[in-house]
Structure formats: C-alpha cells, structure tokens
Amino acid sequence: AVNRIRFDDMLETLSRAYDIGGARSEASLIELSRRRWMGANTQIYARGMLVAFLCDLALLEASRGKKSVENVSRKIFERHRSGPPQNANEAILEIIRSHSELRPLIDRYITAGGPFEWRSFLRSAGLEAVTKDQLTRLKVVDAPSGRQKQILEKLGYNNWRKLSGSRR
C-alpha cells in the first residue's frame, strides 16, 4: 500500500519461491520447520511465502477484498503479544482455522504435504504462471475481469498510479 515494493518485484519473488519451494517440495510446512536446522531453511521460507500468498488470495476472493492475511496477522499479534508461552504452531493454526476458506490450504500445505497447486488461485486473482526453461514467471492475464482487477488492486497492482496522482 505504501509502494515500497513494486508489483512486478513481488511477482518475481513469488516466481522464484515457487521454483525453490513449490514445484520441488511436497513436504508440509510443519515438517520443513522440523528440518530447518538440517538445511531446509530456503525451502521453508519459499514454501511459507507461497502458502501465505495463497491464503491472502483465498481471503481476498472469499471476502470480496475486505479481508486479507493482514487481518490474520493482526489477530495473531493481538491474541499472543503477551501472556504465557504457547506452542506457536498450535496457536497460529487455531486462528487460521477460524477462517473456513483457509482450511483446505492448512490441510494441504501446512499440516500435511502434497504437490503445490496454485493455478486456480492465480486465475481467480487475474494472474498466470508461465514456465520456460524450468523457470516460472508470474504475470497478469491479458484481459482481467472486474473481479480479478479488484483482487489485483488489493495486491498492489497499479499502486504507483494512486500514489503519483495519475488518473489513466
């Protein structure tokens, strides 16, 4: 929202994360976190970023742009910023599970492992993944629908226009 990261840079980072932790790994995030001290750091961060992105897309789609991962993060912080220590996985999963649209993502990527499938999520957001020479590239579809444009805007697409005052 403050235009510190260009939209194209975000897509490039997500594309690289997919190539590192999405396409190649079928381990759950919880399993990867157990192995982080054995060299799985890159995979856990890449896969975690991808899962967070899918959660953001699922929340934006289900709420018509009114809820995002920011709401979930805020709730986690507010509930757990003080008090007795808790198991982090359990505490966070409890909050995430309170959103029915996120339960399939939890089951598929956080608590259980499986191949990473994001095409339907990308399509709902007006994005597509193109793979060439074993490298993935995310891009905006040629003619996004009104609903897709709404989600793209929430993700930061065309933020530079809003901040510069341009009205194209």
Side-chain angles (χ1 to χ4, degrees):
V2 294
N3 216 30
R4 290 189 179 160
I5 300 172
R6 290 180 333 122
F7 185 77
D8 290 341
D9 293 336
M10 179 190 75
L11 293 183
E12 177 63 28
T13 301
L14 288 165
S15 299
R16 276 187 270 131
Y18 179 79
D19 289 338
I20 293 168
R24 296 186 185 132
S25 175
E26 292 190 13
S28 72
L29 282 175
I30 290 177
E31 178 58 32
L32 286 172
S33 74
R34 287 185 193 120
R35 292 189 280 168
R36 72 183 173 275
W37 306 117
M38 296 180 286
N41 277 345
T42 304
Q43 275 192 339
I44 192 170
Y45 290 119
R47 195 152 173 100
M49 181 187 310
L50 293 169
V51 172
F53 180 62
L54 293 189
C55 287
D56 208 18
L57 294 180
L59 287 166
L60 287 167
E61 173 72 17
S63 69
R64 297 188 174 274
K66 293 181 179 92
K67 290 182 183 176
S68 70
V69 168
E70 181 181 350
N71 301 91
V72 176
S73 298
R74 187 176 294 117
K75 192 173 185 178
I76 291 167
F77 177 75
E78 288 170 357
R79 189 176 292 173
H80 298 288
R81 69 177 162 202
S82 61
Q86 285 185 269
N87 178 297
N89 288 338
E90 291 172 13
I92 292 169
L93 286 172
E94 177 187 345
I95 291 171
I96 296 173
R97 281 194 175 106
S98 70
H99 299 274
S100 60
E101 59 272 63
L102 299 182
R103 289 183 197 136
L105 292 168
I106 294 165
D107 295 339
R108 184 161 187 175
Y109 302 119
I110 298 175
T111 60
F116 199 83
E117 174 50 49
W118 65 345
R119 296 206 187 274
S120 64
F121 290 95
L122 296 176
R123 193 171 24 259
S124 71
L127 297 169
E128 64 183 338
V130 178
T131 304
K132 182 178 179 185
D133 298 328
Q134 298 182 337
L135 294 175
T136 304
R137 183 174 154 256
L138 285 178
K139 66 179 205 128
V140 176
V141 297
D142 289 333
S145 69
R147 183 88 180 256
Q148 289 171 326
K149 286 179 187 176
Q150 181 186 27
I151 292 174
L152 286 168
E153 294 290 327
K154 291 289 184 178
L155 293 173
Y157 185 63
N158 287 333
N159 265 3
W160 63 272
R161 288 184 184 173
K162 293 177 210 166
L163 292 173
S164 68
S166 177
R167 303 269 184 201
R168 287 187 188 182

